[in-house]
Each structure stands twice: as structure tokens, then as C-alpha cells.
Amino acid sequence: MSIINFIENYKKKKRILYTTPSHSQGDFTAPKSHKLIGAKFFSCDYSEIEGFDNLANPSGMIRAAQEDAAAIYGAKSTFFLTNGSTSGIIAAMYSVLNRNDKVIIARNCHKSVYNGLVLTGAIPIWLMPDYNPEWGIYDSLNLNYLEELLYKNKEVKAVIITNPTYEGVMFDISRISAMCKKYGAVLIVDEAHGALWNFHKAIGIPSLLQGADIVIQSLHKTAGALNPSALLHLGWESNIEPKFVQQSLNLFTTTSPSYPLLLNIEAVITYLASKKGQLYIQNYIKKLNRIIRSLKTIPNLEVYSTNNDITKILVKVTNMSGRELSDIMINKYGIEDELSNEKSVLYLTGIGTSESKLNKLEKALFSICDNNIKLTPEKSKYDILSTLEPRMRYTPAALWGKPYKEVDIQHALARVSMELITDYPPGIPVLLPGEVIKKEHIDYLAETRKKIKVLA
């Protein structure tokens, strides 16, 4: 444990530091911070002083920790990220895409991908996932259509997909990787929600081990790390030079990295790869399998279980919308979900999810279904919106800095959007900068906004 050992040994030296951070390793902490966080967190918070490493050009303890992580994950190179998967996704795009390069993007990608389009100036080609109206989610990718897009656009530089999806749907990455290699495209996978896959194949098969070139994972989402800890991995088969990825990361990463986050990243990875960690994960999976089996026996309750990551518990109740179920669970049982839509509710679990939490979820859902509440499900406007392929009049980069004006949303038909409008969670854009506004967008957004920014 390179970073942890170094900081433990450094603290023993009791150096007198006239450096940042100004709390001086906890000599000052705001009272409420001290009460909620405690002094130990502050005591590990250092700047890049003599003997410490530099995240922008690691050569010491950070480099050693990243090399250890790469060996654990089976990567050519692994990079620690202290400002989330967002920075990794943007850096990945910046490493392989230039202005006017074509890139195939699955329509259900996170908003950070669209920010990457602004910064790279790349031209998106949309891969529309199949939409499942029974659950109100995107599920499968049409891989035949993906190959058709690659065949018709042989100059495509990269393909960007999310695996698993926010709701846990998984794809055949090995087949997608083979297609990308056939047509010379780099495969970038946002695997933010698959951070545990490398430690137990029963949850999912890591994209890195299926031939992906770049994989980004959020350790805080399921693997128990502090928010916003993440990793970027380069695959062994990738032709991308690690130094180019490092240069790209340096454009978007702070020059003041958090050592508490870095040591926590190392500690989480080391523990999960250990024998104790493996046993802990196995126990977690047993708990999940038990509750999923039990939930499937509850009348009027359905659990999504089609090629999905079991850490995501997606449910729906007969004759009840997801929004209504969510409201009842929060207001009556004090159980808050990760995401709800008109059809279903997502309960996101992680390695820290306890048996008692799962039991409370099970009892609450059983009680709701047992009481046989009869409600009229909402008709989802998103069912229509989700099948719309974006009609891009301009790329997001071409619109950056252009003049705009606000108009009444009812008068925005056929105008060009200047806004990235996103339902959050899950962070999948409803409308993109440069996209032509359609009647479906207006109908969907009219209840939540009166005005919209359009190209002047």
C-alpha cells in the first residue's frame, strides 16, 4: 500500500509545515466539520510537498499504487481520478478525438460525453438503444445496427457506450470490441456502475477483459470508496499511449489532488482484492440473491432481471406508477430510491448495503403490495421522447459561445437548442445543444419550464 504507508510514515516525522492546506492537518477545523467529519480526515490532507508524489506526473508512491491497481484489474495502465468518472470520460475522448472526427455515441450516455463533444469538436453519430416501455428504461443495444453504422462511416474514430446502464443492463462487449477492431475504431466504455465486476464475475464481466480500449469506473458508486473516486483503465490491446491519456487528464484535473481520496482509492482496491475482501463480496452477493429471490415471490411486484447487474434492484408494482411507488416508500417508510420513472423504481445497492437495509426494503414493498393499493399508472411522455434520434443542426462545439435568446417553450418548435437539458439522475440528456427542438421535447418539458434558450 504505497500511498497509505508513505502517509503513515510521514505523520510520524511530525514536520512543521508552512504549506497548504491551511487547516494544517486539522489544527483548525470548522466546528460543524469537526463534529461531522472528525479530525483524522484532515490529518491526512496534504499538498504536494517534498517527498510526496505528483498526480499530474506520478513517479513515486502514486505511480506505484497505480501500477499495483493495473495489475489487479488486468490493465496496461490505470489512472486514479479524484474528480469522478466525468473527468475520465472527457480525458478519454480528448485522447482519441480531434475536431470534426466522427464518433458513434449510444444515446443513453451520461451528460459528460456531451461535454466531451464540446471540448473535442467531434461529430456525433447516434446509436439509439432499444427502449423498453414496460419499464420506462433503455435496455438492449442493436449490435447489427452498430455494425451498419461502422460500415457506412468507416472514418469513425471511436465508439462510446455505457455498460452497465444506470439500471444495470449489460451488453456483449466482446462482440462490440471485435466490431470496433474490424473497423479501426477505439472502444470507450463508461463502466461507472461496474466497479465491482473485476472482483466477482457473478455480477458482471469487466469490459476491460472483453477487449475495450478505455474503461472508466466510479469506485464510489458500488465499491465503497469516497465520492467522487474513480479509475481510468487502458486495455492491453489498445494502441493508445498512456502518456497521451495522462496529458489529457492533466487538462481537466486539479493541480491540488486530495490525498484522503487517493489513499482511500488505494485502500479500497487493496481490500477488495484481498481474501477478506473476496469473502465480503461473496457475502454481499448472497444477500442480493436472497432478497431478489424473495422479492420475486411478492404478488403484484415485478423485478427486472433480464441480463442485468444484480446490484441494481429495479422494481415495479401492478397498477402503480414508479413515481407513486417512490413517494409512498419515502413518505411512509423513509426509504429513498436512486431513480424513479413513470413505470419503475431503481434501488441502487453497493458493497456497504447491510442486511437490515435490504430487509426494510423487502418489508416495505411487501406491505405496499399486500395492501393491494389500486392506482392508475401515469401515461409516460418519455416513451415517445426516448425513441427520438437527435436531429443535430450543429455540433455542440460549433455552438459554444454563440449568441442565444430565451423564448417561451411553446414557441420553440424547430428552433435550435442552446441548452443541455438533463434529467438527473440518471444524467442522460433530454435535449442537446445544437439539436432541433421537436414537438415531443416541448410536450415533455412544458410542465417543468416556461422558457428555453435557443440560437439567436
Side-chain angles (χ1 to χ4, degrees):
M1 295 191 289
S2 306
I3 300 172
I4 294 170
N5 288 343
F6 183 92
I7 291 178
E8 284 177 338
N9 291 330
Y10 189 85
K11 288 174 70 173
K12 294 175 184 177
K13 296 178 181 179
K14 297 183 179 180
R15 292 276 176 84
I16 300 171
L17 302 178
Y18 285 88
T19 65
T20 59
S22 58
H23 58 70
S24 292
Q25 288 66 57
D27 285 350
F28 166 83
T29 56
K32 289 192 180 294
S33 292
H34 186 86
K35 182 179 179 181
L36 287 171
I37 302 174
K40 288 188 176 181
F41 186 96
F42 290 89
S43 72
C44 297
D45 191 21
Y46 293 92
S47 63
E48 291 155 303
I49 53 183
E50 185 179 353
F52 279 63
D53 205 357
N54 188 327
L55 189 60
N57 183 28
S59 59
M61 58 176 169
I62 295 176
R63 178 176 178 175
Q66 290 185 156
E67 288 175 349
D68 289 344
I72 289 170
Y73 283 91
K76 179 166 66 175
S77 295
T78 292
F79 302 84
F80 289 1
L81 310 177
T82 58
N83 54 341
S85 285
T86 291
S87 62
I89 288 167
I90 293 173
M93 294 175 69
Y94 210 81
S95 299
V96 299
L97 295 171
N98 296 306
R99 184 166 293 276
N100 296 325
D101 282 347
K102 290 185 177 181
V103 53
I104 294 174
I105 300 174
R107 182 62 182 84
N108 62 332
C109 281
H110 186 264
K111 62 179 285 188
S112 57
V113 173
Y114 306 95
N115 294 337
L117 289 175
V118 173
L119 293 165
T120 61
I123 300 170
I125 299 171
W126 302 106
L127 172 63
M128 296 299 294
D130 293 335
Y131 182 71
N132 187 331
E134 296 301 315
W135 289 89
I137 65 170
Y138 290 107
D139 54 19
S140 59
L141 282 174
N142 186 329
L143 300 191
N144 290 329
Y145 180 53
L146 171 58
E147 183 148 30
E148 182 181 328
L149 288 176
L150 286 165
Y151 177 78
K152 289 180 178 179
N153 301 275
K154 293 186 174 64
E155 69 277 25
V156 162
K157 288 289 185 68
V159 173
I160 304 174
I161 64 169
T162 304
N163 183 62
T165 66
Y166 203 86
E167 297 83 9
V169 181
M170 300 185 291
F171 307 120
D172 185 350
I173 298 298
S174 59
R175 183 180 169 192
I176 296 172
S177 174
M179 287 183 196
C180 290
K181 287 177 173 54
K182 178 180 177 181
Y183 292 96
V186 171
L187 177 58
I188 300 171
V189 180
D190 174 0
E191 199 172 87
H193 282 269
L196 280 176
W197 287 7
N198 289 81
F199 303 101
H200 206 295
K201 304 302 187 293
I203 308 174
I205 302 173
S207 299
L208 194 69
L209 303 185
Q210 297 185 73
D213 292 281
I214 303 178
V215 177
I216 301 96
Q217 298 174 325
S218 288
L219 284 175
H220 65 274
K221 285 187 165 64
T222 54
L226 288 166
N227 194 12
S229 305
L231 301 169
L232 185 153
H233 306 290
L234 268 182
W236 277 105
E237 297 178 19
S238 175
N239 293 323
I240 302 165
E241 290 289 336
K243 64 180 180 181
F244 294 141
V245 176
Q246 183 68 69
Q247 289 170 3
S248 297
L249 283 169
N250 292 349
L251 291 173
F252 311 111
T253 301
T254 176
T255 57
S256 303
S258 168
Y259 274 96
L261 289 182
L262 290 171
L263 71 85
N264 182 245
I265 289 172
E266 181 186 40
V268 165
I269 294 170
T270 304
Y271 177 75
L272 294 178
S274 70
K275 288 184 179 180
K276 286 185 178 180
Q278 291 294 295
L279 290 173
Y280 197 99
I281 295 170
Q282 288 174 20
N283 186 48
Y284 166 56
I285 292 171
K286 286 179 182 177
K287 290 188 292 185
L288 289 178
N289 284 326
R290 183 203 63 77
I291 189 174
I292 290 170
R293 285 195 303 269
S294 183
L295 291 177
K296 286 181 177 180
T297 67
I298 298 176
N300 299 317
L301 181 75
E302 195 172 345
V303 183
Y304 186 89
S305 56
T306 305
N307 191 35
N308 71 309
D309 180 333
I310 61 171
T311 66
K312 283 79 178 164
I313 301 176
L314 186 69
V315 299
K316 64 177 180 176
V317 174
T318 304
N319 295 326
M320 185 183 297
S321 76
R323 310 279 191 210
E324 291 161 334
L325 175 59
S326 175
D327 288 344
I328 294 170
M329 290 287 278
I330 291 172
N331 296 323
K332 187 173 181 180
Y333 299 96
I335 296 175
E336 188 161 351
D337 55 76
E338 173 71 14
L339 172 71
S340 65
N341 59 41
E342 288 83 354
K343 304 298 176 65
S344 57
V345 180
L346 175 64
Y347 295 97
L348 185 69
T349 75
I351 196 165
T353 303
S354 65
E355 188 84 46
S356 63
K357 281 179 68 174
L358 292 173
N359 289 339
K360 288 175 183 176
L361 175 65
E362 179 185 357
K363 288 178 181 178
L365 288 172
F366 180 84
S367 178
I368 290 171
C369 294
D370 191 49
N371 288 331
N372 199 26
I373 300 171
K374 294 292 183 183
L375 296 171
T376 303
E378 300 173 35
K379 186 176 181 180
S380 175
K381 295 177 181 177
Y382 195 73
D383 286 354
I384 298 173
L385 184 66
S386 64
T387 60
L388 288 180
E389 184 170 349
R391 181 186 163 202
M392 304 296 294
R393 189 168 293 172
Y394 302 95
T395 66
L399 278 192
W400 188 257
K402 291 286 191 296
Y404 66 87
K405 62 181 180 180
E406 280 194 334
V407 301
D408 188 296
I409 196 165
Q410 296 297 342
H411 299 151
L413 185 66
R415 303 294 294 266
V416 175
S417 174
M418 289 292 286
E419 293 190 70
L420 175 66
I421 300 175
T422 307
D423 283 339
Y424 210 94
I428 299 170
V430 171
L431 197 59
L432 303 163
E435 184 176 355
V436 175
I437 299 169
K438 301 178 183 178
K439 183 179 183 299
E440 292 85 351
H441 295 122
I442 294 171
D443 291 343
Y444 183 76
L445 296 169
E447 294 179 8
T448 58
R449 55 170 60 215
K450 302 293 184 184
K451 301 278 188 179
I452 189 169
K453 294 175 183 176
V454 298
L455 182 65

